[in-house]
Amino acid sequence: MKPQSADLRTIRTHKAIRSALETMILTKDFNCITVKELAEIAGINRKTFYLHYDSLDDLFGELEDEIVDEFAQSDHLKTTESNETVTRDFFRVLFRQPELHKRLICSPGYFPVFRRVQVKLFRMYKEHGFDFALPPEYESLLIAYFCTSITFYQQWVTDGQKLTPQELTDFAVALLCDGLIERIAVGKHQ
């Protein structure tokens, strides 16, 4: 994003761009959003858009950073608690996401955005001292594993949120922290 002035016109224009983008995200897939249409909805011209952002990716990057920042403020980054505590806190953050972020995380039409959020989350965790100590060629596989909780959340949304947030969290903790075999064994004896 380009440096912004604090004058009222700049603030209003920035809000108009963000509002237009949010409207479009809730009604269109990622690859259908254009600067031209976004500018029309925002009530600005294309040149004005480019005074604020270098590209649509730059604007989406701002939204991705907001999602990651929500996780960065989470308690589990400030502690070396158990995997269960970390997983439960991670889900608490996911459940607080607004509809806009839910669409960015869960809609197949926003997979490129989701993938960048995954990578940014992984990097944020590394910066906060989670030392994975693996060679670089394993990083993409570790990112996929690391974001399993998000995948659980995505599937929960896709399935129509049939479980309560607590039930989903408990099940995810059982699978991710206790292991699949133990969870299946517990389920058979209930």
Side-chain angles (χ1 to χ4, degrees):
M1 185 170 103
K2 297 181 179 183
Q4 297 294 310
S5 135
D7 79 43
L8 290 176
R9 277 189 326 206
T10 300
I11 293 168
R12 273 194 305 267
T13 301
H14 183 76
K15 285 181 180 179
I17 291 169
R18 283 296 299 266
S19 178
L21 180 65
E22 291 173 16
T23 298
M24 294 177 80
I25 287 170
L26 293 172
T27 59
K28 294 177 172 276
D29 283 342
F30 176 74
N31 60 354
C32 296
I33 294 177
T34 64
V35 171
K36 180 182 181 214
E37 187 176 4
L38 185 136
E40 288 171 8
I41 292 170
I44 61 171
N45 65 47
R46 287 178 56 177
K47 287 183 182 182
T48 302
F49 172 85
Y50 288 111
L51 289 173
H52 294 266
Y53 298 96
D54 293 325
S55 66
L56 279 174
D57 281 341
D58 192 26
L59 179 56
F60 273 101
E62 185 177 272
L63 287 171
E64 294 159 12
D65 290 344
E66 287 174 14
I67 294 169
V68 173
D69 286 347
E70 181 85 18
F71 287 95
Q73 296 171 21
S74 181
D75 290 337
H76 69 268
L77 289 178
K78 301 171 186 125
T79 181
T80 55
E81 294 289 332
S82 69
N83 285 340
E84 179 176 344
T85 302
V86 169
T87 302
R88 288 185 184 285
D89 191 53
F90 191 81
F91 272 96
R92 272 191 291 280
V93 174
L94 278 172
F95 294 130
R96 287 194 312 253
Q97 297 297 316
E99 287 302 311
L100 174 72
H101 292 177
K102 188 185 292 185
R103 178 131 164 97
L104 292 171
I105 292 170
C106 297
S107 173
Y110 283 91
F111 181 77
V113 174
F114 167 68
R115 184 64 176 151
R116 288 191 299 261
V117 168
Q118 277 185 311
V119 170
K120 288 178 179 186
L121 278 172
F122 178 77
R123 289 184 182 140
M124 178 202 60
Y125 277 95
K126 282 179 76 172
E127 288 170 9
H128 280 84
F130 285 72
D131 182 17
F132 301 110
L134 286 172
E137 59 270 17
Y138 288 87
E139 188 167 301
S140 66
L141 296 171
L142 189 57
I143 290 170
Y145 172 77
F146 186 72
C147 291
T148 302
S149 295
I150 293 177
T151 305
F152 272 70
Y153 174 77
Q154 288 174 319
Q155 191 60 50
W156 175 72
V157 169
T158 299
D159 290 346
Q161 303 173 16
K162 294 175 185 170
L163 300 174
T164 67
Q166 187 63 49
E167 289 170 329
L168 175 65
T169 301
D170 291 344
F171 186 70
V173 164
L175 289 174
L176 298 172
C177 301
D178 299 336
L180 179 60
I181 301 303
E182 290 84 357
R183 177 62 186 175
I184 291 171
V186 168
K188 286 182 179 179
H189 297 290
Q190 290 180 346

